[in-house]
Amino acid sequence: MRSSVLTSTIQSETAVPLQAIAVSEHDKFFWAYTEEPHRTRRQAIIKAHPEVTKLCGPEPLTKYCVLAVVALQFSCAIALWQTPVLSLPFFLTAYFIGATANQNLFLAIHEISHNLAFRSPTANRLFAVFANLPIGLPYSAAFRPYHLTHHKSLGVDGLDTDLPTAFEAIFLDSLLGKAFFCTFQILFYALRPMLVYQLPLTSLHLFNIAAQLLFDYLLVTTFGPKPLIYLILSSFLAGSLHPCAGHFIAEHYVFNREALAAKGPTKTDVPVPETFSYYGPLNLLTYNVGLHNEHHDFPAVPWTRLPALHELAKEFYADLPSHTSWTWVIWQFVWDREVGLWCRVKRKEGGRKVGGKGWKEEELGANERGGIPGVK
């Protein structure tokens, strides 16, 4: 099997001495043999701006935002209890209000998974279960270890469950396949982790399941099935063809034309970036998740302080490729023949260990101590 190997020197701000990318005729992923870039850039930023660590720690505003959105979703669900499910008012409410609100709650749980709502880790775990309620299905307890592994083992094949599998990339490698993926991507993100590796079942998982089932039961027995249908439909649409859902694809899929051209056997000296930020207005609805390079560099910095991080260390971020529209990301992903599920950077287990021991648990969030069940 022939393969082309691209070797390039990363700029000084990333401090990674060498990046090698291998692409074969049968495996079109970008295979890297270096440590992921965020830990290295984090260390460089701390060296250049030691005051950056003062940005770390919980954001009190988060709990009030979550309370407001949970109340909004509960109110909308109750207001629709007599509205036909197969009606325009029901669907439009679920798409424009419900999907946006539940995407906001997805990303609130993402913030809380890094211990950024409260100082107490236990309070964060319990509050994540509360934020989970309008989503309709239990997932906050399972999301956290999978997501922290995504940080600690970014791009590591068999560990990072954000990566599409080769099976997905092969069978969805067409316009219709990519459209199917974008329409049902919430299901891929929900089911893929369990197929990659199994989490240990903890008391928190059981509490998450029990709390959600109790909430759903009380909702249905009090108001009928339509409010629960509204909440679950909102969750589905939040991860489907919705502008805010563009962040799922924008964060780590390679859209950079130079990187795509590097798949050719004659191209060299082209580093392949693997995380991309978005600085547009939808960040206002999504806990600034668009500032994704900044978030991966400093997971313990909350959403309200990510813009300050960007400004403080602007020289590290100004030249990184970024997106200007999540809607355009979805459109380009579906219609551009050069972009697809293959456009992800992957590395083997040894790759993330180059240059150091990798991420430590205390680097994955505020007030994080000891081992985290399920994090690899």
Side-chain angles (χ1 to χ4, degrees):
M1 179 175 68
R2 300 185 329 172
S3 67
S4 61
V5 178
L6 312 176
T7 304
S8 60
T9 302
I10 306 301
Q11 299 298 319
S12 59
E13 61 261 31
T14 62
V16 178
L18 185 69
Q19 182 180 40
I21 304 293
V23 182
S24 78
E25 294 175 353
H26 305 291
D27 186 340
K28 300 177 186 177
F29 290 114
F30 295 96
W31 283 96
Y33 298 94
T34 60
E35 181 184 29
E36 55 84 20
H38 297 289
R39 179 175 175 271
T40 307
R41 187 162 56 234
R42 176 179 183 269
Q43 293 171 334
I45 291 174
I46 291 175
K47 183 177 181 180
H49 304 284
E51 68 275 22
V52 72
T53 57
K54 296 179 181 179
L55 298 175
C56 298
E59 170 51 68
L61 181 61
T62 299
K63 58 181 174 289
Y64 300 112
C65 292
V66 170
L67 287 170
V69 176
V70 168
L72 172 65
Q73 275 295 76
F74 187 72
S75 299
C76 288
I78 301 308
L80 293 170
W81 76 288
Q82 290 184 315
T83 305
V85 173
L86 299 177
S87 67
L88 201 57
F90 195 97
F91 178 82
L92 292 179
T93 304
Y95 185 85
F96 288 103
I97 298 178
T100 305
N102 276 10
Q103 183 67 250
N104 179 274
L105 291 174
F106 289 160
L107 295 167
I109 292 170
H110 167 258
E111 278 286 302
I112 298 166
S113 73
H114 293 287
N115 292 339
L116 294 176
F118 300 91
R119 292 193 178 277
S120 165
T122 300
N124 282 287
R125 302 293 80 74
L126 297 177
F127 195 59
V129 172
F130 171 75
N132 193 154
L133 295 178
I135 291 169
L137 299 170
Y139 96 102
S140 65
F143 170 79
R144 183 170 188 262
Y146 281 129
H147 179 67
L148 297 187
T149 298
H150 165 65
H151 276 270
K152 190 175 180 180
S153 305
L154 180 65
V156 177
D157 193 36
L159 290 182
D160 184 356
T161 58
D162 188 67
L163 292 167
T165 62
F167 179 86
E168 294 170 67
I170 291 171
F171 285 94
L172 300 176
D173 192 19
S174 65
L175 188 151
L176 290 178
K178 291 187 292 181
F180 180 86
F181 175 78
C182 289
T183 303
F184 297 97
Q185 62 178 313
I186 193 67
L187 301 181
F188 286 89
Y189 283 102
L191 299 175
R192 182 195 299 139
M194 295 183 289
L195 300 177
V196 175
Y197 75 89
Q198 300 292 314
L199 290 176
L201 187 65
T202 68
S203 58
L204 181 62
H205 291 85
L206 296 176
F207 175 71
N208 185 197
I209 294 169
Q212 190 66 56
L213 290 178
L214 178 61
F215 173 81
D216 293 350
Y217 173 78
L218 293 174
L219 189 65
V220 171
T221 55
T222 305
F223 299 101
K226 292 176 184 176
L228 181 58
I229 293 173
Y230 163 78
L231 294 177
I232 294 176
L233 178 60
S234 296
S235 295
F236 171 77
L237 294 173
S240 185
L241 298 176
H242 188 280
C244 291
H247 83 87
F248 290 119
I249 296 172
E251 291 164 357
H252 296 292
Y253 281 86
V254 179
F255 283 72
N256 182 275
R257 286 290 177 180
E258 290 184 350
L260 291 172
K263 285 189 174 182
T266 61
K267 303 291 184 180
T268 57
D269 294 330
V270 182
V272 178
E274 52 191 290
T275 303
F276 303 86
S277 289
Y278 156 80
Y279 301 107
L282 291 180
N283 280 313
L284 295 172
L285 301 173
T286 55
Y287 288 91
N288 279 326
V289 74
L291 280 72
H292 215 64
N293 268 301
E294 293 84 347
H295 168 65
H296 268 268
D297 290 349
F298 290 88
V301 173
W303 61 284
T304 54
R305 299 173 211 152
L306 287 175
L309 167 60
H310 177 85
E311 289 300 317
L312 179 64
K314 203 163 189 175
E315 69 274 21
F316 290 88
Y317 298 115
D319 295 330
L320 296 179
S322 61
H323 295 288
T324 58
S325 168
W326 281 339
T327 304
W328 174 246
V329 162
I330 296 174
W331 180 269
Q332 185 181 1
F333 182 83
V334 173
W335 288 96
D336 192 331
R337 293 182 179 180
E338 298 299 319
V339 178
L341 277 80
W342 291 110
C343 294
R344 289 294 299 265
V345 175
K346 285 191 175 186
R347 51 178 50 84
K348 293 296 184 183
E349 173 69 16
R352 70 183 171 102
K353 294 181 178 178
V354 174
K357 297 181 180 180
W359 287 90
K360 298 177 181 178
E361 277 77 3
E362 58 265 29
E363 296 178 87
L364 299 175
N367 303 313
E368 196 67 71
R369 301 180 184 89
I372 306 171
V375 174
K376 297 187 176 184

